[in-house]
Amino acid sequence: MLVDRRTLLRTAAAVPVLALAPRLAQAAAEGRINYWHHLTSESEFKGLEAVMALFRQRYPGISLTQENIPNPEYMSKITAAVVSGSKPDTAMVIAERVNDMVGMGGLIDITDRIKGWDKAAAFPEDRWSGASVGGKVYGVPAFTFVDWMYYRKDWFDEAGISGPPKTMAEFQDAAIKLTDPAKGRYGFGLRGGAGGYQYVVDMIESFGSPIVVDGKPAMDKPKAVEAVTFLSELFTRHKVCPPSAPNDSYRQIMEAFKTGQTAMVWHHTGSLAEISGAMKPDQFMTAVRPAGPAAHIARLTYLFNGLMSDANADAAWAWLAFWAEPDAAIAFLEQTGYFPASPETASDSRITGNALYGAAVETTKFGRLPPKFIGSAGWSDNVVLPEFQKVLVGRSTPEGCVDALMAGLEAALQ
């Protein structure tokens, strides 16, 4: 899908933040560049169109085209482009793929450009780690997925609960109070299906157990068992989750929340556009994820844009750097819910003045990166998730689950 000039002009008229574009300084960079990405939803395309329209006004001499590639096919096409010598100028890069893309010669080192960039200081050091290999940087942070929760404010008011839970104990109490199977209401939309491994890992860390330290397995079994027990018993003992929880993935937990089946759901800022479009403002609110007894865990996951070809490097760099502009970052946020990667932009009044974003702003002050170690993806998908599902359906115990997690971790790190 290419965004033509007519589409961009329509977008410019439709997105209020673009009215701010005239105060962006005009630049002299010129050339033709392209951008590969794996954005797919309607809101993501609207956000990209908004950023491109702003970019066109800042850099009228640069002709920018974009190409959407489905995520499952993305690395295959990147690999084919590298092999055939037909790499795009710029491309979207997630942290899990940086090592592979650098290894095949698909990304260009932009460390020196970043050192001379006036906006580099707006990004804390941890923002760069996901796009760094061997002390060199291969991507500019474009936006952030910030973990938070949604809750039914109207249900909380009806039940006389003063506000969202701040601790896991308060979370459990609220979920129990808000559960009423006779009305088809449940306190929490537990993601026990695809993608649910992340909440198991989060819970283990929130109860005080590390996962990996210095490249070696470091799980504390008693603490991990306590964590798995707490999370699984929301379903098995307290019955505060829908019966479908062991198989519920993103789509199921979102639909359950939007249609009034669940009172609370954990996700990240990337689902805000969907929730806001489906529910009335007085029905729901966002909140910081509750803290565990040992640690307050919420993830900050950064997505980057990288330089793949130096054929028109100055124009390509202008596109990468442009995502750090406050107007561009906020235009993308307003269409998608994807949060700016820069704390400086996050302090903009257009964000701080919107109550929905308050939980994300607060989370950026303590949130941490997801665990990252060799074999983490396979361990998470092939060990953590199925072993936790066994607990949910009564085929294992929390202790048995943790034993399997520890054995699987040992194998993954060998």
Side-chain angles (χ1 to χ4, degrees), residues 173-194:
D173 289 343
I176 292 172
K177 289 178 181 177
L178 293 165
T179 295
D180 187 349
K183 294 182 178 180
R185 288 186 177 186
Y186 295 88
F188 178 51
L190 174 65
R191 186 171 180 172

Side-chain angles (χ1 to χ4, degrees), residues 108-124:
I108 294 173
D109 175 13
I110 55 175
T111 308
D112 289 340
R113 286 184 179 271
I114 291 169
K115 288 179 179 178
W117 184 34
D118 62 352
K119 286 190 169 53
F123 295 91

Side-chain angles (χ1 to χ4, degrees), residues 40-393:
T40 55
S41 70
E42 181 180 356
S43 65
E44 288 174 334
F45 276 122
K46 287 181 178 178
L48 178 59
E49 289 167 1
V51 176
M52 289 180 68
L54 286 168
F55 181 77
R56 185 72 56 87
Q57 294 185 48
R58 167 70 77 85
Y59 296 99
I62 298 178
S63 174
L64 170 68
T65 58
Q66 59 87 13
E67 182 176 350
N68 164 251
I69 301 168
N71 201 26
E73 303 167 18
Y74 194 73
M75 284 304 290
S76 295
K77 187 154 185 177
I78 289 287
T79 303
V82 172
V83 172
S84 65
S86 57
K87 295 183 292 185
D89 297 286
T90 62
M92 180 174 286
V93 186
I94 59 175
E96 296 92 321
R97 292 170 172 164
V98 170
N99 285 321
D100 288 342
M101 292 178 71
V102 170
M104 70 174 73
L107 290 173
I108 294 173
D109 175 13
I110 55 175
T111 308
D112 289 340
R113 286 184 179 271
I114 291 169
K115 288 179 179 178
W117 184 34
D118 62 352
K119 286 190 169 53
F123 295 91
E125 193 62 32
D126 65 355
R127 301 299 194 270
W128 303 103
S129 62
S132 298
V133 178
K136 298 179 180 179
V137 184
Y138 293 89
V140 176
F143 54 85
T144 315
F145 295 114
V146 183
D147 280 2
W148 61 5
M149 64 174 277
Y150 300 97
Y151 69 98
R152 286 295 301 259
K153 184 177 183 303
D154 52 350
W155 292 11
F156 272 65
D157 292 342
E158 289 174 8
I161 303 174
S162 60
K166 298 186 184 307
T167 66
M168 287 298 174
E170 291 179 3
F171 173 79
Q172 178 180 281
D173 289 343
I176 292 172
K177 289 178 181 177
L178 293 165
T179 295
D180 187 349
K183 294 182 178 180
R185 288 186 177 186
Y186 295 88
F188 178 51
L190 174 65
R191 186 171 180 172
Y197 67 82
Q198 59 191 300
Y199 304 110
V200 181
V201 174
D202 290 353
M203 193 65 69
I204 289 173
E205 289 194 357
S206 75
F207 272 72
S209 172
I211 305 297
V212 173
V213 175
D214 296 330
K216 298 180 180 180
M219 287 180 64
D220 181 309
K221 182 176 177 179
K223 293 177 181 178
V225 169
E226 187 180 2
V228 173
T229 299
F230 178 91
L231 186 61
S232 63
E233 285 189 347
L234 293 171
F235 178 74
T236 62
R237 177 186 174 192
H238 301 296
K239 312 293 185 183
V240 301
C241 312
S244 57
N247 293 308
D248 285 350
S249 58
Y250 171 80
R251 179 48 47 205
Q252 287 73 42
I253 63 171
M254 284 293 114
E255 291 303 323
F257 185 76
K258 292 190 302 182
T259 58
Q261 188 180 10
T262 55
M264 295 179 286
V265 65
W266 294 346
H267 198 241
H268 55 62
T269 49
S271 50
L272 179 59
E274 177 176 347
I275 295 293
S276 298
M279 303 179 72
K280 297 177 181 178
D282 59 350
Q283 287 183 309
F284 81 99
M285 190 57 192
T286 60
V288 174
R289 287 264 297 271
H296 200 173
I297 302 296
R299 307 298 181 182
L300 305 176
T301 307
Y302 303 103
L303 190 141
F304 305 87
N305 288 322
L307 189 66
M308 290 195 66
S309 169
D310 57 7
N312 200 344
D314 287 343
W317 168 255
W319 171 241
L320 269 58
F322 188 73
W323 284 79
E325 294 287 346
D327 287 348
I330 293 173
F332 197 71
L333 167 68
E334 289 175 342
Q335 293 296 324
T336 62
Y338 298 176
F339 216 66
S342 163
E344 185 176 290
T345 301
S347 65
D348 188 286
S349 61
R350 288 168 285 176
I351 293 178
T352 58
N354 187 328
L356 281 174
Y357 299 144
V361 173
E362 182 63 27
T363 300
T364 60
K365 298 175 183 177
F366 70 87
R368 62 178 73 179
L369 298 171
K372 183 182 178 183
F373 54 88
I374 296 174
S376 60
W379 178 70
S380 298
D381 285 329
N382 302 323
V383 181
V384 178
L385 181 60
E387 292 300 330
F388 181 65
Q389 287 176 316
K390 289 179 184 178
V391 179
L392 295 180
V393 299

